[in-house]
């Protein structure tokens, strides 16, 4: 198995399920953890390095297949980027089949249930809930922010955001001092949070009509704009969803909720 990421920042490395559960609960939240197959073995590693007060990079693996059920995260968001293997992540009512092409985003108010495959390894970006809500308030958002849980890693804007994550990771991994300065770390964290709010559909990105009528989600508005701009095109729902950066199900629900139509 390749060398774990963030190797200078080990939180726990264990083959004991109880020890793994307790160590992760201390950093994240209480959760159910169990191996799913008879005769399987835990080979758990969790490395973690904070960038500042609000963002923390994590590397995690469990070895053989495991079921992890944390319920709601409550006070943080978790972007999970598979490096190897796959994971089936249920966030609220939506299931994300995460791999090297698609990541999952867990929002604090949405219940999460996960199945990590044998050999699954992830780079995880932990973001404090209060920091996201403060950033969303700065652009007119209010209340809890809920992201579409399916993050398409092939979208150009997502690739740009991942470059920011990679730059932070490279600095930490190399033992660099740049992010040790609060003059750098704080604005860099804000850039990561603002970038995520910009690239991924979420409940803070809504458009309010001039008459004060009910809000229309950004995803629905962008899809309508595409339909009106190219009425001759035989659009498919999946294609529209990909263009506006959400899952097919999320776009369908947005049209039903915001426009009262399919």
């Amino acid at each position: 198995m390749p060398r774990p990421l963030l190797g200078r920042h080990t939180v726990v490395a264990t083959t004991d399920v109880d020890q793994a559960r307790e160590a992760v609960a201390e950093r994240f939240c209480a959760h159910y953890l169990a191996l799913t197959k008879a005769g399987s073995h835990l080979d758990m590693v969790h490395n973690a390095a904070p960038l500042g007060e609000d963002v923390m990079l994590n590397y995690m693996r469990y070895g053989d297949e495991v079921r992890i059920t944390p319920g709601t995260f409550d006070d943080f968001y978790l972007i999970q980027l598979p490096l190897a293997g796959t994971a089936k992540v249920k966030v609220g009512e939506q299931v994300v089949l995460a791999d090297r092409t698609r990541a999952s985003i867990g929002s604090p108010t949405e219940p999460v249930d996960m199945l990590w495959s044998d050999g699954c390894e992830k780079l995880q970006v932990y973001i404090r809930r209060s920091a996201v809500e403060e950033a969303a308030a700065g652009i007119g958002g209010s209340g809890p922010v809920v992201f579409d849980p399916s993050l398409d890693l092939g979208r150009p804007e997502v690739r740009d955001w991942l470059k920011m994550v990679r730059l932070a990771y490279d600095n930490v991994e190399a033992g660099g001092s740049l992010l040790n300065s609060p003059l750098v770390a704080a604005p860099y964290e804000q850039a990561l949070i603002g970038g995520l709010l910009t690239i991924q559909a979420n409940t803070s990105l809504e458009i309010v009509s001039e008459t004060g009528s009910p809000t229309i989600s950004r995803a629905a508005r962008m899809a309508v704009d595409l339909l009106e701009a190219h009425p001759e095109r035989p659009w498919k729902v999946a294609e529209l969803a990909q263009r506006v950066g959400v899952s097919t199900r999320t776009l369908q629900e947005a049209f039903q909720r915001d426009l009262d139509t399919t």
Side-chain angles (χ1 to χ4, degrees):
M1 182 174 291
R3 180 175 65 90
L5 304 185
L6 302 171
R8 303 182 185 185
H9 305 273
T10 299
V11 175
V12 61
T14 183
T15 58
D16 182 79
V17 172
D18 291 335
Q19 184 182 6
R21 184 188 304 111
E22 291 170 6
V24 174
E26 187 174 341
R27 290 293 184 106
F28 290 91
C29 60
H31 59 285
Y32 169 86
L33 170 66
L35 293 160
T36 62
K37 302 173 183 176
S40 59
H41 301 283
L42 194 77
D43 179 21
M44 191 272 189
V45 174
H46 176 208
N47 301 333
L51 299 186
E53 295 294 324
D54 297 319
V55 178
M56 179 170 62
L57 298 179
N58 301 268
Y59 165 85
M60 196 172 293
R61 78 174 190 227
Y62 285 94
D64 289 342
E65 185 180 88
V66 293
R67 174 86 177 273
I68 309 167
T69 308
T72 55
F73 292 151
D74 294 338
D75 60 358
F76 64 92
Y77 294 81
L78 193 63
I79 301 91
Q80 302 190 74
L81 304 158
L83 304 170
T86 61
K88 182 179 181 181
V89 183
K90 185 177 182 182
V91 182
E93 295 302 316
Q94 187 168 331
V95 175
V96 180
L97 301 177
D99 55 20
R100 295 292 296 274
T101 68
R102 187 167 301 277
S104 65
I105 302 179
S107 298
T109 57
E110 301 291 289
V112 175
D113 188 7
M114 300 179 282
L115 185 69
W116 290 34
S117 73
D118 294 341
C120 184
E121 301 177 52
K122 293 184 180 183
L123 178 65
Q124 301 170 317
V125 183
Y126 169 110
I127 305 178
R128 198 178 305 278
R129 175 179 181 171
S130 59
V132 173
E133 292 183 351
E134 287 172 10
I139 56 173
S142 62
V145 177
V146 178
F147 285 93
D148 183 294
S150 180
L151 183 63
D152 181 355
L153 302 181
R155 288 164 47 206
E157 61 271 32
V158 175
R159 292 199 298 267
D160 288 341
W161 185 78
L162 290 174
K163 290 176 184 176
M164 296 174 64
V165 174
R166 183 72 193 192
L167 180 61
Y169 162 77
D170 286 343
N171 186 262
V172 170
E173 187 79 322
S177 59
L178 188 62
L179 289 175
N180 289 334
S181 168
L183 293 175
V184 177
Y188 202 87
E189 287 183 314
Q190 291 304 307
L192 283 170
I193 294 168
L196 184 64
L197 285 166
T198 300
I199 66 167
Q200 185 68 357
N202 64 84
T203 54
S204 75
L205 295 176
E206 296 179 325
I207 300 172
V208 184
S209 71
E210 294 179 358
T211 61
S213 60
T215 57
I216 300 175
S217 67
R218 185 189 69 156
R221 181 68 266 167
M222 291 175 65
V224 169
D225 288 345
L226 285 169
L227 290 168
E228 292 178 346
H230 304 282
E232 77 289 349
R233 185 167 178 171
W235 291 99
K236 295 182 178 179
V237 178
E239 183 183 7
L240 274 173
Q242 183 178 27
R243 288 287 296 273
V244 303
V246 299
S247 69
T248 299
R249 180 172 178 174
T250 294
L251 185 60
Q252 290 171 326
E253 291 176 348
F255 265 62
Q256 189 66 54
R257 179 186 66 246
D258 301 339
L259 304 173
D260 195 26
T261 186
T262 62

